PDB file of all heavy atoms in Angstrom:
ATOM      1  N   MET A   1     -41.184 169.206-154.268  1.00 59.00           N
ATOM      2  CA  MET A   1     -40.996 169.984-153.040  1.00 59.00           C
ATOM      3  C   MET A   1     -41.390 169.115-151.844  1.00 59.00           C
ATOM      4  O   MET A   1     -42.258 168.265-151.950  1.00 59.00           O
ATOM      5  CB  MET A   1     -41.870 171.243-153.077  1.00 59.00           C
ATOM      6  CG  MET A   1     -41.596 172.248-151.982  1.00 59.00           C
ATOM      7  SD  MET A   1     -39.932 172.907-152.085  1.00 59.00           S
ATOM      8  CE  MET A   1     -39.901 173.985-150.680  1.00 59.00           C
ATOM      9  N   VAL A   7     -39.085 175.234-135.361  1.00 97.00           N
ATOM     10  CA  VAL A   7     -39.540 176.322-134.502  1.00 97.00           C
ATOM     11  C   VAL A   7     -38.693 176.254-133.238  1.00 97.00           C
ATOM     12  O   VAL A   7     -38.621 175.207-132.595  1.00 97.00           O
ATOM     13  CB  VAL A   7     -41.031 176.217-134.167  1.00 97.00           C
ATOM     14  CG1 VAL A   7     -41.460 177.359-133.248  1.00 97.00           C
ATOM     15  CG2 VAL A   7     -41.870 176.243-135.452  1.00 97.00           C
ATOM     16  N   ASN A  11     -33.830 178.159-125.826  1.00 95.00           N
ATOM     17  CA  ASN A  11     -33.766 176.983-124.959  1.00 95.00           C
ATOM     18  C   ASN A  11     -34.083 175.650-125.625  1.00 95.00           C
ATOM     19  O   ASN A  11     -33.657 174.603-125.138  1.00 95.00           O
ATOM     20  CB  ASN A  11     -34.711 177.161-123.772  1.00 95.00           C
ATOM     21  CG  ASN A  11     -34.308 178.321-122.891  1.00 95.00           C
ATOM     22  OD1 ASN A  11     -33.128 178.492-122.583  1.00 95.00           O
ATOM     23  ND2 ASN A  11     -35.279 179.129-122.495  1.00 95.00           N
ATOM     24  N   CYS A  16     -39.718 169.435-137.500  1.00 97.00           N
ATOM     25  CA  CYS A  16     -40.760 168.579-138.079  1.00 97.00           C
ATOM     26  C   CYS A  16     -40.547 168.392-139.580  1.00 97.00           C
ATOM     27  O   CYS A  16     -40.052 169.289-140.265  1.00 97.00           O
ATOM     28  CB  CYS A  16     -42.143 169.199-137.871  1.00 97.00           C
ATOM     29  SG  CYS A  16     -42.599 169.554-136.169  1.00 97.00           S
ATOM     30  N   LEU A  59     -21.149 162.095-144.476  1.00 96.00           N
ATOM     31  CA  LEU A  59     -21.610 162.222-143.085  1.00 96.00           C
ATOM     32  C   LEU A  59     -23.002 161.635-142.886  1.00 96.00           C
ATOM     33  O   LEU A  59     -23.425 161.408-141.762  1.00 96.00           O
ATOM     34  CB  LEU A  59     -21.592 163.691-142.663  1.00 96.00           C
ATOM     35  CG  LEU A  59     -20.197 164.341-142.628  1.00 96.00           C
ATOM     36  CD1 LEU A  59     -20.317 165.828-142.332  1.00 96.00           C
ATOM     37  CD2 LEU A  59     -19.313 163.658-141.595  1.00 96.00           C
ATOM     38  N   LEU A  82     -19.667 172.053-143.488  1.00 97.00           N
ATOM     39  CA  LEU A  82     -20.650 172.382-144.525  1.00 97.00           C
ATOM     40  C   LEU A  82     -20.397 173.750-145.143  1.00 97.00           C
ATOM     41  O   LEU A  82     -20.654 173.952-146.337  1.00 97.00           O
ATOM     42  CB  LEU A  82     -22.063 172.307-143.946  1.00 97.00           C
ATOM     43  CG  LEU A  82     -22.524 170.926-143.478  1.00 97.00           C
ATOM     44  CD1 LEU A  82     -23.953 170.984-142.962  1.00 97.00           C
ATOM     45  CD2 LEU A  82     -22.392 169.891-144.585  1.00 97.00           C
ATOM     46  N   VAL A  94     -22.895 174.081-159.473  1.00 96.00           N
ATOM     47  CA  VAL A  94     -23.388 172.704-159.423  1.00 96.00           C
ATOM     48  C   VAL A  94     -24.133 172.410-160.710  1.00 96.00           C
ATOM     49  O   VAL A  94     -24.509 173.334-161.453  1.00 96.00           O
ATOM     50  CB  VAL A  94     -24.328 172.473-158.207  1.00 96.00           C
ATOM     51  CG1 VAL A  94     -23.582 172.620-156.908  1.00 96.00           C
ATOM     52  CG2 VAL A  94     -25.531 173.424-158.246  1.00 96.00           C
ATOM     53  N   ASN A 148     -51.026 177.847-143.958  1.00 94.00           N
ATOM     54  CA  ASN A 148     -51.780 176.877-143.150  1.00 94.00           C
ATOM     55  C   ASN A 148     -51.106 176.541-141.824  1.00 94.00           C
ATOM     56  O   ASN A 148     -51.594 175.690-141.082  1.00 94.00           O
ATOM     57  CB  ASN A 148     -51.985 175.584-143.952  1.00 94.00           C
ATOM     58  CG  ASN A 148     -52.894 175.785-145.138  1.00 94.00           C
ATOM     59  OD1 ASN A 148     -53.892 176.485-145.037  1.00 94.00           O
ATOM     60  ND2 ASN A 148     -52.552 175.192-146.262  1.00 94.00           N
ATOM     61  N   LEU A 151     -50.005 178.641-135.324  1.00 95.00           N
ATOM     62  CA  LEU A 151     -49.465 178.228-134.037  1.00 95.00           C
ATOM     63  C   LEU A 151     -49.983 179.110-132.912  1.00 95.00           C
ATOM     64  O   LEU A 151     -49.889 180.343-132.988  1.00 95.00           O
ATOM     65  CB  LEU A 151     -47.929 178.294-134.062  1.00 95.00           C
ATOM     66  CG  LEU A 151     -47.207 177.991-132.754  1.00 95.00           C
ATOM     67  CD1 LEU A 151     -47.491 176.565-132.288  1.00 95.00           C
ATOM     68  CD2 LEU A 151     -45.708 178.217-132.910  1.00 95.00           C
ATOM     69  N   GLY A 173     -52.063 170.693-146.859  1.00 94.00           N
ATOM     70  CA  GLY A 173     -51.177 170.845-148.008  1.00 94.00           C
ATOM     71  C   GLY A 173     -51.299 169.759-149.042  1.00 94.00           C
ATOM     72  O   GLY A 173     -51.052 169.993-150.227  1.00 94.00           O
TER      73      GLY A 173
END
Side-chain angles (χ1 to χ4, degrees):
M1 190 63 182
V7 179
N11 296 316
C16 303
L59 296 174
L82 296 182
V94 295
N148 293 319
L151 176 62

